[in-house]
Amino acid sequence: MSRPPTTQAGLADPATINAIRSCVHCGICLPACPTYRTLGEEMDSPRGRVYLMRAVAEGRLGITETYTRHLDLCLGCRACETACPAGVPFGSLLETARADIEGAGRPFRRRLVDAFVFGVFPYPERLAIALGLLRRYRRVGLQALVRRSGLLRRFPRLAAMDALLEDVPRTDTELPEFLAAHGRARGRVAVLVGCVQRHLFADVNRDTMRLLAAAGWDVVAPRAQGCCGALELHGGRLDAFRRRARALAAALPSDVDWVVSNTAGCGSALREYGHWVGDDDAALRVAARTRDVTELLADADLPLRPLPLTVTYHDPCHLAHGQRVRAAPRTLLSRIPDLRLVPLPDSELCCGSAGVYNVLEPEMADRLLAAKIARIVETGARAVVTGNAGCLLQIARGARARGLDLEVVHPVTLLARAMRWEER
């Protein structure tokens, strides 16, 4: 069944068509693409997807189910951007194409899933309620009962969500809104606390603030801040994303030197504010000042004790490809005495998390996760380090499924563990 091409600007915008036409179809992107490597299908490669987008943009193809399927299977990992010699902005093209798809309408069953995902995850208060219910669901034994019944096999997306959360930590203690720098202040930074991050990785937020303060930064974490909009951006819900971007930019203080993110997907979205919300001065300021926490800590003079541990590092897609940050996390880890960092083959290949991709496309996500876990096992590492909430959840899930004794941690967690706090 074919739906007519969208009448909104979208892919048909002249500047967007020019960006699409910058693809020279060389195929250098193909080996970098996780779905092409897995499926071997041209239309599930960046080159093939650009060809489909061009056909829609030029009015030669409607928004068909087949077209939508090939774009839905894309992780949005942007590895193709790193590989592309022509500089095709695939990430923004994909988000524009998905906005066209959303405008044309989704099937009813997909709309139900989207209603939950986009009605809960970007709202910290609603997410807290959902996680509280999940905590009770686990505590009274319902989760174990449902898993034993095999009922979830009929609902793969629910099964994927269930498998991601083995534990639901309590987050009753709020972060301080301000931490003063230790010693002479190097400047002032604002920390993005996130949505999933604030509830499932509150310890990472706490350690981020403490380490930044120890490194000489005055740290603020405004409680009024909301979601950065990353999920909506990657899902093609551009109007909702722009509203969130403007609201978050307005909630962050204008007098900070840097806006610090400790989760790759959020940081990448913040850096994209200039492209999508270029008419808002506060959003432009946030885009220009956003940095990953590892970038600010990599050269910090921190007193570190030995931490005898063999670790490997997984590059989150939106840190390596979206923000082009690769060296800083490795530099940070290499400064910990007795920590042995071993290389991870295919470190920049997506683990299958990709925002909520592992919920929406669980079969493909599982195949990518299996490949990632196999590579991790090859290293012999006892811990995997990665700087994104989705990657932490996804890789931990894969390790549990394989029965591996493998710790999955954020870089700041290891740094905080090695800190001689008494000297700060």
Side-chain angles (χ1 to χ4, degrees):
M1 175 184 176
S2 174
R3 299 190 293 274
T6 178
T7 56
Q8 298 177 356
L11 291 177
D13 179 78
T16 303
I17 291 179
N18 286 338
I20 291 172
R21 290 173 178 166
S22 67
C23 175
V24 297
H25 309 291
C26 63
I28 291 175
C29 60
L30 270 61
C33 176
T35 52
Y36 180 77
R37 286 175 57 156
T38 304
L39 300 173
E41 168 64 49
E42 173 70 15
M43 291 300 104
D44 289 317
S45 74
R47 181 175 66 183
R49 290 177 177 124
V50 168
Y51 179 84
L52 289 172
M53 290 182 212
R54 180 168 180 171
V56 169
E58 294 175 347
R60 295 180 285 108
L61 177 68
I63 299 178
T64 65
E65 291 179 8
T66 300
Y67 167 82
T68 299
R69 184 63 188 144
H70 288 303
L71 266 64
D72 280 349
L73 276 175
C74 180
L75 294 133
C77 69
R78 298 172 64 176
C80 52
E81 289 189 20
T82 297
C84 181
V88 177
F90 186 88
S92 61
L93 293 179
L94 176 67
E95 286 146 4
T96 302
R98 285 179 170 167
D100 283 356
I101 291 170
E102 293 299 318
R106 290 280 193 175
F108 177 71
R109 294 181 72 177
R110 173 59 185 262
R111 292 202 305 271
L112 283 178
V113 176
D114 286 355
F116 174 77
V117 169
F118 294 104
V120 174
F121 285 91
Y123 297 88
E125 299 83 2
R126 298 179 191 177
L127 184 57
I129 293 170
L131 290 173
L133 292 173
L134 179 59
R135 197 180 294 114
R136 293 182 181 89
Y137 166 76
R138 286 174 46 80
R139 190 170 60 236
V140 301
L142 279 176
Q143 184 182 55
L145 181 63
V146 169
R147 286 180 175 181
R148 286 196 302 270
S149 73
L151 180 65
L152 290 174
R153 285 195 292 269
R154 298 174 56 191
F155 304 98
R157 287 171 173 165
L158 284 177
M161 282 192 279
D162 178 78
L164 278 173
L165 292 177
E166 192 65 18
D167 183 35
V168 185
R170 299 197 66 88
T171 54
D172 296 335
T173 304
E174 287 188 327
L175 288 171
E177 285 196 274
F178 175 75
L179 279 183
H182 291 260
R184 184 177 178 180
R186 301 171 61 185
R188 180 176 167 89
V189 299
V191 170
L192 182 74
V193 300
C195 300
V196 170
Q197 189 79 353
R198 80 175 70 190
H199 292 302
L200 296 183
F201 298 100
D203 58 325
V204 174
N205 280 341
R206 183 194 64 241
D207 288 339
T208 293
M209 293 186 70
R210 294 173 70 207
L211 287 164
L212 287 168
W217 298 97
D218 283 330
V219 187
V220 295
R223 291 206 176 102
Q225 64 177 288
C227 176
C228 68
L231 286 183
E232 286 154 331
L233 172 62
H234 304 322
R237 296 172 173 243
L238 297 184
D239 289 340
F241 165 68
R242 291 186 179 103
R243 287 193 296 272
R244 290 199 189 280
R246 291 189 177 99
L248 177 62
L252 295 175
S254 61
D255 63 344
V256 295
D257 299 285
W258 305 110
V259 175
V260 181
S261 169
N262 57 21
T263 192
C266 298
S268 180
L270 293 180
R271 294 198 195 209
E272 296 290 317
Y273 279 9
H275 176 79
W276 295 108
V277 202
D279 59 346
D280 186 294
D281 289 342
L284 288 170
R285 184 171 58 247
V286 168
R289 296 181 185 178
T290 294
R291 294 294 182 271
D292 186 71
V293 62
T294 59
E295 294 181 275
L296 265 65
L297 293 177
D299 64 349
D301 182 19
L302 298 173
L304 301 174
R305 60 169 54 89
L307 191 61
L309 184 66
T310 299
V311 307
T312 194
Y313 178 75
H314 161 71
D315 284 281
C317 298
H318 281 92
L319 192 58
H321 305 301
Q323 302 183 62
R324 306 300 171 95
V325 176
R326 298 177 177 84
R330 292 174 169 85
T331 299
L332 192 60
L333 293 171
S334 69
R335 295 187 58 239
I336 301 176
D338 289 355
L339 188 80
R340 179 171 173 251
L341 178 62
V342 295
L344 174 63
D346 290 330
S347 176
E348 294 189 7
L349 200 67
C350 186
C351 65
S353 173
V356 291
Y357 184 95
N358 50 0
V359 173
L360 297 176
E361 302 292 341
E363 182 180 352
M364 178 57 66
D366 284 352
R367 294 174 71 173
L368 296 172
L369 177 59
K372 179 63 65 175
I373 294 296
R375 289 301 199 187
I376 290 168
V377 170
E378 290 172 10
T379 69
R382 295 297 305 275
V384 181
V385 188
T386 189
N388 186 56
C391 300
L392 289 166
L393 292 171
Q394 177 81 340
I395 295 173
R397 173 197 166 197
R400 286 195 303 272
R402 287 277 298 269
L404 300 178
D405 181 16
L406 183 71
E407 188 179 15
V408 187
V409 292
H410 195 285
V412 303
T413 301
L414 288 187
L415 197 67
R417 196 179 296 173
M419 271 288 291
R420 298 182 187 273
W421 292 107
E422 67 277 7
E423 297 181 23
R424 279 291 188 270

